[in-house]
Amino acid sequence: MIMKILLKRTFFKSLTVCALLITSVAAAFSQQPDPDVMAMMPEIPATLTKPEDRAKYLVMHYWDKFDFSELQPLMKDNLLERCFVDYLEVLSYVSAADKELSISGLLKKAEAKYLSFNKIMTFSEHYLYEYGSPIADEETFIPFLEYAVKSSALDENDKIRFRFLLRNTLNNRIGSVANDFTYTLLNEETGTLHGIGTDYTILFFKDPDCSECYKLTKQLIVSPVINNLLKQGKITILTIYEGNELDAWKAHASDVLNSWIYARDEDETINGTGIYDLKSFPTLYLLDKEKKVLLKDTTFEKTEEYLRRQQTNN
């Protein structure tokens, strides 16, 4: 149900958000924003005319009309979830500090009822962390988790999962140095992630029999941006298999280009210690020369666009 709502509202939710952030709605849209969501929104003072000022006011007062002590009315027609989806959109318009302050305010209010608090946390995990969500954003998910692990509304058993998720999201966080590991090649030679010296590294966790991995492999192979960087010696593509089906891994070696590093996690360090959060395959990271994480658990499209911008700027 959660993902169905998101996919159904991908276009219309932007109308609701933009209607709140601009001062002249009629001229901007031929479609109508979601009336149920709009009815729950605070009235933004007319004196606030700049979109950034309106966005800040909105995130700080977004939940003013919500009574979390009575969850049932909020669940009718999935109202709470629909509002939450739009809330995530509004958060993208404000600073990190304002985002954290707003999220803290929401969860403090939701603590009025145990079920309300859990419902908000469920929404945040599905939309911001779960594999397949088109709006997944771990940086926004982190403040939800940081609040939850300290919340007096939850007992220690409730917090076990949230601590686990917080560890995963903080692990190899964007801007941090990616965890190092040793990889093994087809000829049994070894190397390390941190030993790669190119300007960029695409870290590609893949499974031999994964159809999506094969699709991503083909996208990387035909990308003009990535091929240009490969020819200049500015990027390395390191593919890692962390399973133990060696025959299958060896059989798919020809899927990749000779210029790539085709390797496996022989010691099962990655799988055994959890130094990377592999929700599914494929999993893609983009690292800089110092192995700082530029993009985490990302897509081909975002990776290519990031590299294209860097080439343009240089």
Side-chain angles (χ1 to χ4, degrees):
M1 175 61 72
I2 287 178
M3 286 305 164
K4 287 182 179 178
I5 287 178
L6 177 58
L7 293 174
K8 184 177 180 181
R9 290 172 49 75
T10 297
F11 173 69
F12 290 100
K13 76 182 181 67
S14 64
L15 296 178
T16 302
V17 170
C18 290
L20 293 161
L21 298 185
I22 65 176
T23 55
S24 179
V25 180
F29 302 109
S30 58
Q31 300 281 355
Q32 288 297 313
D34 187 325
D36 296 330
V37 174
M38 291 293 287
M40 299 299 294
M41 296 298 98
E43 183 176 348
I44 302 176
T47 53
L48 299 178
T49 58
K50 295 181 179 179
E52 57 270 27
D53 293 336
R54 295 175 67 83
K56 182 174 181 178
Y57 183 93
L58 182 56
V59 297
M60 296 306 175
H61 296 273
Y62 192 95
W63 303 101
D64 286 0
K65 295 183 181 179
F66 290 76
D67 181 4
F68 286 105
S69 65
E70 297 291 338
L71 182 59
Q72 189 171 353
L74 298 179
M75 298 305 293
K76 184 179 179 182
D77 297 325
N78 301 299
L79 176 62
L80 179 58
E81 186 176 352
R82 290 154 59 199
C83 290
F84 187 82
V85 171
D86 277 359
Y87 174 66
L88 296 182
E89 177 74 10
V90 180
L91 286 178
S92 67
Y93 288 87
V94 301
S95 67
D98 288 337
K99 182 185 296 186
E100 291 182 19
L101 189 60
S102 174
I103 291 170
S104 177
L106 160 62
L107 292 174
K108 183 176 182 180
K109 193 168 185 179
E111 283 180 321
K113 191 177 186 68
Y114 176 82
L115 291 177
S116 296
F117 190 91
N118 272 342
K119 186 61 68 175
I120 293 296
M121 290 305 301
T122 296
F123 291 158
S124 68
E125 181 178 346
H126 275 289
Y127 285 116
L128 297 172
Y129 179 78
E130 192 173 271
Y131 175 77
S133 171
I135 58 171
D137 180 358
E138 288 190 3
E139 288 300 307
T140 299
F141 188 38
I142 288 171
F144 283 94
L145 293 171
E146 289 178 332
Y147 191 100
V149 298
K150 298 177 182 178
S151 174
S152 59
L154 303 176
D155 61 28
E156 289 305 305
N157 287 331
D158 291 325
K159 294 178 180 180
I160 291 174
R161 175 165 178 76
F162 296 131
R163 288 197 180 100
F164 171 76
L165 292 173
L166 182 58
R167 186 200 72 180
N168 285 346
T169 54
L170 293 177
N171 202 15
N172 300 303
R173 189 177 185 179
I174 291 176
S176 68
V177 176
N179 290 322
D180 196 15
F181 58 85
T182 298
Y183 59 80
T184 302
L185 305 175
L186 285 165
N187 62 8
E188 298 303 321
E189 291 183 3
T190 61
T192 64
L193 172 64
H194 285 194
I196 296 172
T198 48
D199 291 349
Y200 299 102
T201 300
I202 291 178
L203 181 54
F204 178 8
F205 294 98
K206 67 195 298 287
D207 187 89
D209 298 319
C210 161
S211 59
E212 287 301 312
C213 297
Y214 183 77
K215 177 183 175 182
L216 177 55
T217 298
K218 292 302 181 184
Q219 288 177 310
L220 292 168
I221 286 174
V222 301
S223 168
V225 175
I226 292 171
N227 276 309
N228 185 45
L229 289 169
L230 281 169
K231 290 176 182 177
Q232 296 178 50
K234 292 183 177 181
I235 196 167
T236 297
I237 300 179
L238 171 60
T239 69
I240 295 293
Y241 172 52
E242 46 86 53
N244 51 24
E245 297 293 331
L246 296 188
D247 289 341
W249 172 66
K250 291 177 181 178
H252 283 269
S254 60
D255 290 350
V256 308
L257 299 178
N258 291 332
S259 56
W260 297 14
I261 299 177
Y262 190 73
R264 63 188 175 95
D265 177 25
E266 182 179 20
D267 297 330
E268 298 186 357
T269 302
I270 296 168
N271 191 37
T273 62
I275 59 173
Y276 283 85
D277 180 23
L278 304 179
K279 304 186 189 78
S280 65
F281 296 107
T283 295
L284 204 65
Y285 284 71
L286 179 64
L287 315 176
D288 70 7
K289 190 171 185 177
E290 285 72 40
K291 303 304 171 289
K292 287 184 179 178
V293 179
L294 301 174
L295 298 174
K296 177 184 179 181
D297 199 0
T298 189
T299 64
F300 164 77
E301 291 77 14
K302 290 179 180 178
T303 301
E304 187 180 52
E305 178 57 27
Y306 183 97
L307 294 170
R308 180 183 290 111
R309 288 200 310 270
Q310 295 305 305
Q311 284 187 295
T312 302
N313 293 338
N314 292 336

